[in-house]
Amino acid sequence: MGKNLLIAQSGGPSSAINAALSGILMEAAKSPEIDKVYGGIHGIYGVISHQIADLTNQIRTAEEFKLLETTPGMALGSCRFKLPPLEKDTKVYEKLVEIFHSYNIGYFLYMGGSNSMDTVWKLSRYLKDKNEDIRVLGVPKSVDNDLSGTDHTPGFGSAAKFIATSMEEIIRDSEAYPINSVTIVEVMGKESGWLTAASILPHHFGENAPHLVYLPEVPFSMGQFINDVQEAMKKERAVVVAVSEGLKFSDGSYVAQSREDENGYTSVGQVLERALVSTIGGKIRSIVLNVLQRCSGHLLSAADVIESRRIGTFAVRNVLNGETGKVLVFNRVSNSPYLINVETVPVEQVLSAGVKGFPLEWISPENNDLTQEALNYLLPLINGEVEYSCKAGMPVHFRFDLTPCQPPKTEP
Amino acid sequence: MGKNLLIAQSGGPSSAINAALSGILMEAAKSPEIDKVYGGIHGIYGVISHQIADLTNQIRTAEEFKLLETTPGMALGSCRFKLPPLEKDTKVYEKLVEIFHSYNIGYFLYMGGSNSMDTVWKLSRYLKDKNEDIRVLGVPKSVDNDLSGTDHTPGFGSAAKFIATSMEEIIRDSEAYPINSVTIVEVMGKESGWLTAASILPHHFGENAPHLVYLPEVPFSMGQFINDVQEAMKKERAVVVAVSEGLKFSDGSYVAQSREDENGYTSVGQVLERALVSTIGGKIRSIVLNVLQRCSGHLLSAADVIESRRIGTFAVRNVLNGETGKVLVFNRVSNSPYLINVETVPVEQVLSAGVKGFPLEWISPENNDLTQEALNYLLPLINGEVEYSCKAGMPVHFRFDLTPCQPPKTEP
């Protein structure tokens, strides 16, 4: 008799995480070693409170798998929950083992970003220490692309494609009027500039815009920014600027917070817009791309979806092959032709390396543009379009039946 | 020897105005009465200053027509320029006639919103008074859908589709976490609630969200809003609210301006977000959909593109048939099956009726939801998907050669 597989999702939503889930479910259905497939509802937080749904055979047709792959958000629900340090408190670990036993879980795949990989690390270590034959692998996901140990993360390519496409469309919009203007586009990425970097992709397609780009890896200077914009305006009628939401001044304070008052949050775009209005004047506007970047299921990168599905299938094969305490990663073998290997690395290796920032050597000496290497890295990740099902003009989304189920009855 | 056709675009960009231009160019190419096709660069403003490009035969293939139709923005450039009252100043009209003569213009099609229709009205009246055989028709365009005399405006359907799709994706995103939250989505439409109304389209597809919707046609009450949100939170974990950027209090002041300080513009979403943070508390966020609503060429409504192309072809036929001083409009013959006739109405009829607001009888008695009639009106307008050309993962956009040309040599 086989064991059961538990899957859960955690961290910020992304539009490719369900494609990885699709790959897991496809491979699990083909694997005789796996009896049932369970889904933890709202991540490890749900697992702890017995919020576990039976996913076995919920998806049967190719059409349903495709629907799941083009559904944004987290099909199993997410959480932001960190397990306590093993040295301090083992109660929650004991409870998890008890639940794993009651559902006869032999394999646990946890999908998410660095917090989820922290869970993979702690839990796999605890299970090994207790000699439990329950294997845990991490399936990474991050629109931010700031996880170490992997060439890129599932979800980044689709977010990058949305940003690049939106940027190109905003460029078209900005050109309309015969007047000087500045359009500031604020892109996600509190800790790293990968997503903001994606906004330069229109350069590869003959656009001069965006004319300036600022990443959080470099301290931001308001004086230099205003000067850069003034210089750009000498050459261009409609100047377009891409900025990261995570921009910081040299003292480490966020630009977005610098004008915050009792009224609450002010975006980077608004701070820069106000700075330009009070110095340069004229038509200045700021646009925040916001969560659409991570949930635009109607504009997915085919490369991202295919790779996400693939990392899901590999996760099942690797956990069945005996691996535990590891993370699935992409290794870029070559850029042209674009070749990716799916591999595993020990989870502690990913965690100890910390946030993977955008390479400083891919930022121009003026700190307001990126190099050809950056374009070469980004281009394969947005390649290809994904068809999605529509009904009466709207995308169709997939929904699991997430009714919590009882543990299976143990045989007498 | 035939006459020449002049086309120009004006007002805010939209993602379907180039489809109407495509229809005009297709029909003009088929019409032996038309020799050359000229484009005014940046609207009537460009025409006045001899910024006129020769568009004849710039587009030849079906592929190029399709590229133009899926290119957002204004392919000919736009302006915000109103002709002076005829009673006050006729100099600019005299200049226009002179330019029309030098380019042998017999037909002028002006594409845009109500300001552009004002130009059509004034110019056609002047030309009639002067017994000039130069005919002028208006081809409407407005993402806001607030032009009178027409069932809807070209451009509205695609913007509505982007809003509805984004709303559904934001709903998926908002469901991710097992915590109570409020997501406020701010939609365009300073004067009318049509675009905000489109955010309820997910209701037709089984979604409860958005749970509340507020249009500018009804005075906004902050107390009622906070109360509505509290009631919604009793039933829903992740409350989603759609609001119009044009919301006004009962004293006529904009909600967006009410907290404006020396720092500049504050969005409606931010004002409401702050009001909820200081009363209800918890996870509150606001999202401004911004200009993506009007420039998302990658997510067009097929109904909108087909109708826009059709209104363009009819504009050419009608102007050749001798009509002038009129506007092309849509007349909805029936809802099911959805049938639209393209007709013309006198431009003064469109202008005198003023802004077409969202019907009050389609707003629920509680002022926070819409009726089935609203859904029935909206649904056909977002129907169908438009394929667009991609290269290496990015949409390909069309560009005219807009080099200003000299008037044709008159025959000796």
Side-chain angles (χ1 to χ4, degrees):
Chain A
M1 191 191 144
K3 295 253 185 161
N4 298 330
L5 167 69
L6 176 68
I7 318 163
Q9 297 176 320
S10 145
S14 112
S15 42
I17 189 166
N18 292 332
L21 177 58
S22 167
I24 293 173
L25 293 175
M26 276 182 199
E27 192 64 21
K30 284 197 256 173
S31 305
E33 304 95 316
I34 295 172
D35 277 352
K36 280 183 163 290
V37 180
Y38 290 107
I41 309 165
H42 294 295
I44 196 77
Y45 177 86
V47 174
I48 293 167
S49 41
H50 288 270
Q51 298 290 303
I52 293 172
D54 189 350
L55 306 180
T56 321
N57 298 327
Q58 280 207 37
I59 302 195
R60 288 167 185 274
T61 67
E63 179 60 27
E64 286 168 334
F65 275 110
K66 206 171 159 193
L67 272 189
L68 174 62
E69 291 177 0
T70 54
T71 297
M74 309 285 256
L76 303 178
S78 185
C79 69
R80 291 201 185 275
F81 183 80
K82 242 182 146 167
L83 289 179
L86 277 165
E87 300 71 33
K88 276 202 177 171
D89 184 3
T90 58
K91 255 185 255 164
V92 65
Y93 296 92
E94 288 158 25
K95 193 170 176 189
L96 277 169
V97 170
E98 194 187 302
I99 291 167
F100 286 173
H101 282 169
S102 71
Y103 287 86
N104 194 28
I105 304 299
Y107 322 105
F108 177 39
L109 298 179
Y110 205 37
M111 315 172 74
S114 51
N115 276 349
S116 318
M117 297 309 123
D118 178 79
T119 298
V120 169
W121 178 58
K122 288 171 178 165
L123 190 57
S124 62
R125 215 165 43 132
Y126 179 83
L127 292 168
K128 262 189 223 167
D129 285 352
K130 297 287 169 190
N131 282 315
E132 292 284 349
D133 186 21
I134 301 169
R135 300 170 209 154
V136 187
L137 291 184
V139 183
K141 167 257 19 159
S142 161
V143 290
D144 292 323
N145 197 36
D146 57 2
L147 203 71
S148 294
T150 184
D151 177 78
H152 58 281
T153 48
F156 173 67
S158 293
K161 188 183 184 88
F162 178 85
I163 292 161
T165 302
S166 300
M167 181 57 84
E168 204 184 6
E169 293 175 340
I170 289 170
I171 295 166
R172 287 291 85 72
D173 189 271
S174 72
E175 293 167 342
Y177 296 108
I179 53 168
N180 292 318
S181 65
V182 181
T183 301
I184 302 162
V185 183
E186 179 179 326
V187 185
M188 272 185 166
K190 205 87 183 164
E191 302 299 327
S192 67
W194 294 101
L195 287 173
T196 307
S199 66
I200 68 150
L201 279 161
H203 291 183
H204 181 74
F205 302 90
E207 307 284 355
N208 288 330
H211 308 96
L212 299 165
V213 57
Y214 299 92
L215 307 194
E217 280 78 4
V218 176
F220 185 77
S221 154
M222 191 65 89
Q224 188 59 48
F225 167 71
I226 294 168
N227 194 57
D228 288 352
V229 171
Q230 283 172 320
E231 286 302 311
M233 289 181 85
K234 289 180 187 164
K235 285 177 271 177
E236 305 282 346
R237 189 182 73 232
V239 171
V240 180
V241 186
V243 298
S244 163
E245 64 167 340
L247 288 185
K248 287 177 187 170
F249 292 119
S250 54
D251 67 0
S253 64
Y254 281 109
V255 172
Q257 288 181 335
S258 65
R259 296 290 284 270
E260 197 182 274
D261 55 16
E262 75 281 4
N263 290 329
Y265 176 72
T266 305
S267 77
V268 173
Q270 285 174 324
V271 173
L272 301 185
E273 183 183 343
R274 289 164 192 182
L276 291 182
V277 166
S278 63
T279 49
I280 296 173
K283 195 192 171 192
I284 320 279
R285 61 176 181 175
S286 66
I287 298 165
V288 184
L289 294 186
N290 219 310
V291 297
L292 297 177
Q293 294 164 81
R294 72 180 187 197
C295 67
S296 60
H298 73 276
L299 186 61
L300 297 170
S301 152
D304 189 24
V305 167
I306 292 165
E307 288 177 350
S308 296
R309 191 194 298 141
R310 203 164 145 224
I311 213 169
T313 62
F314 272 72
V316 174
R317 286 184 212 161
N318 288 345
V319 83
L320 289 178
N321 279 340
E323 294 193 55
T324 188
K326 293 187 177 173
V327 179
L328 281 287
V329 296
F330 293 133
N331 177 15
R332 193 181 299 213
V333 181
S334 77
N335 230 349
S336 182
Y338 174 62
L339 286 176
I340 285 287
N341 276 350
V342 181
E343 301 173 356
T344 53
V345 294
V347 61
E348 55 267 36
Q349 192 175 313
V350 167
L351 290 171
S352 62
V355 167
K356 184 184 70 178
F358 189 85
L360 294 177
E361 62 272 24
W362 290 357
I363 302 175
S364 73
E366 300 77 20
N367 292 330
N368 60 23
D369 200 0
L370 306 180
T371 66
Q372 184 62 41
E373 285 75 24
L375 274 176
N376 294 346
Y377 170 85
L378 291 164
L379 277 164
L381 308 184
I382 64 159
N383 209 5
E385 288 64 52
V386 177
E387 268 186 64
Y388 55 96
S389 287
C390 278
K391 196 179 147 187
M394 290 274 280
V396 181
H397 290 165
F398 182 84
R399 279 183 189 238
F400 284 107
D401 174 3
L402 292 182
T403 314
C405 66
Q406 293 300 315
K409 290 208 177 79
T410 46
E411 285 168 40
Chain B
M1 189 193 149
K3 297 254 183 159
N4 298 329
L5 168 68
L6 176 67
I7 318 163
Q9 298 176 320
S10 146
S14 111
S15 41
I17 191 165
N18 292 332
L21 177 58
S22 165
I24 294 173
L25 294 174
M26 277 183 196
E27 192 64 22
K30 285 196 255 174
S31 305
E33 303 95 318
I34 295 172
D35 278 351
K36 279 183 164 291
V37 181
Y38 290 108
I41 307 166
H42 295 294
I44 196 78
Y45 178 87
V47 175
I48 293 168
S49 41
H50 290 269
Q51 298 290 303
I52 293 171
D54 189 349
L55 306 181
T56 322
N57 298 327
Q58 280 208 35
I59 301 196
R60 289 166 185 275
T61 67
E63 178 60 26
E64 285 168 335
F65 275 109
K66 206 170 160 194
L67 271 189
L68 174 61
E69 291 178 358
T70 54
T71 297
M74 310 285 254
L76 303 178
S78 184
C79 69
R80 292 200 185 276
F81 182 79
K82 243 180 145 165
L83 290 178
L86 277 163
E87 300 72 34
K88 277 203 177 168
D89 184 4
T90 58
K91 254 185 254 162
V92 66
Y93 297 92
E94 289 158 22
K95 192 168 178 193
L96 276 169
V97 168
E98 192 187 300
I99 292 167
F100 285 174
H101 283 168
S102 71
Y103 286 87
N104 193 29
I105 303 299
Y107 322 104
F108 177 39
L109 298 179
Y110 204 36
M111 317 173 73
S114 50
N115 275 350
S116 317
M117 297 310 123
D118 178 81
T119 297
V120 169
W121 178 58
K122 288 171 177 164
L123 190 57
S124 62
R125 217 163 44 129
Y126 179 84
L127 292 167
K128 263 190 222 166
D129 286 355
K130 297 287 169 194
N131 282 316
E132 292 285 350
D133 186 20
I134 301 170
R135 302 171 207 153
V136 188
L137 290 185
V139 183
K141 165 257 23 156
S142 160
V143 290
D144 291 324
N145 198 36
D146 57 2
L147 203 72
S148 294
T150 184
D151 177 78
H152 59 278
T153 47
F156 173 66
S158 293
K161 190 184 181 88
F162 179 84
I163 291 161
T165 302
S166 299
M167 181 56 83
E168 204 183 7
E169 293 174 340
I170 289 169
I171 295 167
R172 285 291 86 72
D173 189 89
S174 72
E175 294 168 342
Y177 295 109
I179 53 167
N180 292 316
S181 65
V182 181
T183 302
I184 302 162
V185 182
E186 180 179 325
V187 184
M188 272 185 166
K190 204 90 184 161
E191 302 298 326
S192 68
W194 294 101
L195 287 173
T196 306
S199 67
I200 69 150
L201 278 161
H203 291 183
H204 181 73
F205 301 89
E207 307 283 355
N208 289 328
H211 307 96
L212 299 164
V213 57
Y214 299 92
L215 307 193
E217 280 78 5
V218 176
F220 183 77
S221 154
M222 191 63 90
Q224 188 60 49
F225 167 71
I226 293 169
N227 195 56
D228 288 352
V229 171
Q230 282 172 321
E231 286 302 311
M233 289 181 85
K234 289 179 187 165
K235 285 178 271 179
E236 304 283 345
R237 189 180 73 229
V239 171
V240 179
V241 186
V243 298
S244 163
E245 65 168 336
L247 288 185
K248 285 176 187 169
F249 293 118
S250 54
D251 67 358
S253 65
Y254 281 109
V255 173
Q257 288 180 336
S258 65
R259 298 289 284 270
E260 198 182 273
D261 56 16
E262 74 280 5
N263 290 329
Y265 177 72
T266 305
S267 77
V268 173
Q270 284 174 323
V271 173
L272 301 186
E273 183 183 341
R274 288 164 193 182
L276 291 182
V277 166
S278 64
T279 51
I280 296 174
K283 196 190 171 193
I284 320 279
R285 60 176 182 175
S286 67
I287 298 165
V288 185
L289 293 186
N290 221 308
V291 297
L292 297 178
Q293 293 163 82
R294 72 179 188 200
C295 66
S296 60
H298 74 276
L299 186 59
L300 298 169
S301 152
D304 188 26
V305 167
I306 291 165
E307 289 176 351
S308 296
R309 191 195 297 141
R310 203 166 144 223
I311 215 169
T313 62
F314 273 71
V316 174
R317 287 185 213 162
N318 289 346
V319 84
L320 291 178
N321 278 342
E323 294 194 56
T324 188
K326 293 187 178 172
V327 179
L328 280 288
V329 295
F330 293 132
N331 177 12
R332 192 181 301 211
V333 182
S334 77
N335 229 347
S336 178
Y338 174 64
L339 287 174
I340 286 287
N341 276 350
V342 180
E343 301 173 356
T344 53
V345 294
V347 61
E348 54 269 35
Q349 191 175 309
V350 166
L351 290 172
S352 62
V355 167
K356 185 183 72 178
F358 189 85
L360 294 178
E361 62 272 24
W362 290 358
I363 301 175
S364 73
E366 299 78 20
N367 292 330
N368 59 25
D369 200 2
L370 306 179
T371 66
Q372 184 61 42
E373 285 74 27
L375 273 176
N376 294 346
Y377 170 84
L378 291 164
L379 276 164
L381 308 182
I382 65 159
N383 210 4
E385 288 63 54
V386 178
E387 267 186 66
Y388 54 96
S389 288
C390 280
K391 197 179 146 188
M394 290 275 279
V396 181
H397 291 165
F398 182 85
R399 281 183 189 236
F400 284 107
D401 173 3
L402 292 181
T403 314
C405 67
Q406 292 300 312
K409 289 207 177 83
T410 46
E411 284 169 39

